[in-house]
Amino acid sequence: MQKETLCLGLLSLGPRSGYEIKQMFEGPLSDFYSLSFGTIYPTLNNLQADKYVSCKQHSQSKKPDKKVYTITKKGMELMKDNLLSDASSYIRSGNFGDQIKSEFFLLLLFSKYLPKETMDTVLNERVLYLRQKLEQFKYDGPVPGNLDAIRNEKSVSFIRGLASSLIETGLNYMEKNRHLLKEKTK
Amino acid sequence: MQKETLCLGLLSLGPRSGYEIKQMFEGPLSDFYSLSFGTIYPTLNNLQADKYVSCKQHSQSKKPDKKVYTITKKGMELMKDNLLSDASSYIRSGNFGDQIKSEFFLLLLFSKYLPKETMDTVLNERVLYLRQKLEQFKYDGPVPGNLDAIRNEKSVSFIRGLASSLIETGLNYMEKNRHLLKEKTK
DNA sequence: ATTATATATATCATTCTGATATATATACGC
DNA sequence: GCGTATATATATCAGAATGATATATATAAT
C-alpha cells in the first residue's frame, strides 16, 4: 500500500498532525505496519499540494507550529480508489504473506553459536515483551484522545482478538518447548 | 543483524552461491527475514575481499559462472563475534518486537471502505495461503539439497513448531470470527 | 540543578528493495 | 516443432524508506 493511501486512511479517522500520525504507528499499529518521520512529513506536504488534505496551523509560541491536516473530499475519493486497486492487486499478486524482519528468529536460528545464558536471556526478554504486548491488546480502558479513533474502528476489535490469540499461542509454545533449544551440539 | 553476519551464518551451514542464498530467503526463511539480490551479491563480494569467505568459480559454458562461497576461519570468528554483540544489543535495546509490514492488516483496518465481496476474497485467499504455509511447515519429507542444511538445524524444529501453532491459531480465529467484519457501518 | 522525555517539523546520507539487463537451458502446451 | 514460461546465475542502479540529526522549548524526574 502506498504511503499516501495509508496517511489518507489514518486522516479519514479524524484530523491529525504528522507527529500524531507517527504516534499511531508507535502504538498497537506498530505490530502491523510503520512509517518514519522522513516518510510521513514529505507525504503530508505532497498531499496538501495536491489538495487531498487541507492544513490548519496552530501557532504555539516558540514551539514549531502544529500543522493539523484534514482529509478533503478529493482525498477521500483518492483513498477509496487506491484502496480498491490495492486490494485487487493484492489478490492478483498471489503474495498473501507479510513482510517480516525478525531479529529474534535470526538469533534463534543461529542460537548454536551463542552461549546458552545469552540465548536464555533473549528468550526471557521476549517472553516478558510478549506478555506486555498481550496486556496492551487486551486492555479495554481509556486511551489517549489521539489513539481513540483507531481504537473504536470495528475492524480493530477483530484485529485485537487475532493478535491476542496469536501472542497467547506463542507464549504457550515457548514455555512448553524452550527446553528443546538447550540440547546443544557441543 | 547486519547483512554480513546473516550471509556468514547461512554460509556456516555449508558452501553456497548467491543465488542459492536467495533461494533460502524464498523458502521457509522468508517468513522471518529476507534479503534481495541487490544486497546479497555486493555483500558476498565485500566478504570475499576481506577474506571472510573464499570463492570457487564453477564454469558453466555460456551461463554465468556459478560462484560458490565457503566461509573461512576468519569468517566464522567474525560471525560468532557479531552474533554475540547482536544478541547483547538486542537485549540492551529493549525492543523485542519484529519489524512487520502487513498489507493484509492494512486492508483489514480499512475494510469499511471496501466492497464486502472484495474483503471476502481477500480473507479467502489469505486463508488458502495460510493453509498452504501450514502444510509447508509441517511437511517432513525430503527437500532440495539446497535447503537441506537449514532444515536439519536443531533450532529449526523449534521454529517450525512455533510457526505451525501460530498459523493454526490464526486460521481458527479467522474462521470463527470473520463474520464480525461483515457488520458494516452503512 | 541537571538530565531525560515529550512536543513538533524538517532534512538528508546511507541503506535496501525491486526492476532491469544479460545469457542460456529446459519444460510445457498445442 | 514452435513459441512461451520458468529456472539458473550474476550484476547494477534508480527510486524509496529508514534512522539519525538539527532545531527549539516545556515539563517531569532525580
Side-chain angles (χ1 to χ4, degrees), chain A residues 48-180:
Chain A
Q48 189 189 359
D50 296 338
K51 312 270 183 193
Y52 296 119
V53 299
S54 65
C55 177
K56 259 188 199 159
Q57 304 224 172
H58 297 243
S59 296
Q60 321 183 81
S61 59
K62 304 287 182 169
K63 255 190 276 188
D65 287 5
K66 185 172 174 172
K67 295 179 172 181
V68 176
Y69 295 91
T70 305
I71 190 166
T72 62
K73 266 177 211 172
K74 198 183 164 196
M76 283 295 285
E77 275 165 44
L78 181 69
M79 178 199 62
K80 287 178 190 174
D81 285 356
N82 283 356
L83 236 32
L84 203 61
S85 66
D86 283 345
S88 306
S89 65
Y90 178 73
I91 291 165
R92 269 198 318 274
S93 79
N95 179 20
F96 303 101
D98 304 328
Q99 195 200 303
I100 300 179
K101 302 247 163 181
S102 174
E103 182 83 4
F104 174 69
F105 275 96
L106 291 186
L107 290 175
L108 264 186
L109 182 59
F110 298 126
S111 54
K112 69 171 172 185
Y113 298 124
L114 287 167
K116 70 172 169 31
E117 311 82 44
T118 306
M119 210 49 224
D120 232 47
T121 309
V122 166
L123 282 160
N124 286 338
E125 294 294 342
R126 174 84 169 192
V127 165
L128 250 44
Y129 170 82
L130 288 178
R131 287 208 191 115
Q132 215 180 297
K133 269 284 160 196
L134 184 58
E135 264 179 63
Q136 281 172 29
F137 276 114
K138 288 193 152 179
Y139 172 73
D140 254 324
V143 289
N146 217 359
L147 305 173
D148 211 46
I150 199 166
R151 178 62 169 284
N152 292 331
E153 283 295 293
K154 278 259 171 67
S155 56
V156 167
S157 43
F158 176 86
I159 292 171
R160 286 173 62 203
L162 177 50
S164 300
S165 353
L166 290 176
I167 295 175
E168 272 167 6
T169 302
L171 280 170
N172 286 336
Y173 183 90
M174 281 171 71
E175 268 157 44
K176 272 180 203 146
N177 298 95
R178 64 185 286 180
H179 66 274
L180 293 173

Side-chain angles (χ1 to χ4, degrees), chain B residues 19 23 41 60 63-67 101:
Chain B
Y19 190 80
Q23 284 181 320
Y41 285 123
Q60 320 184 82
K63 254 190 277 188
D65 288 4
K66 185 173 175 174
K67 295 177 170 181
K101 302 246 163 182

Side-chain angles (χ1 to χ4, degrees), chain B residues 87-104:
Chain B
S88 305
S89 65
Y90 178 72
I91 291 165
R92 271 198 318 272
S93 79
N95 179 19
F96 303 101
D98 305 328
Q99 196 200 304
I100 301 180
K101 302 246 163 182
S102 174
E103 182 82 5
F104 174 70

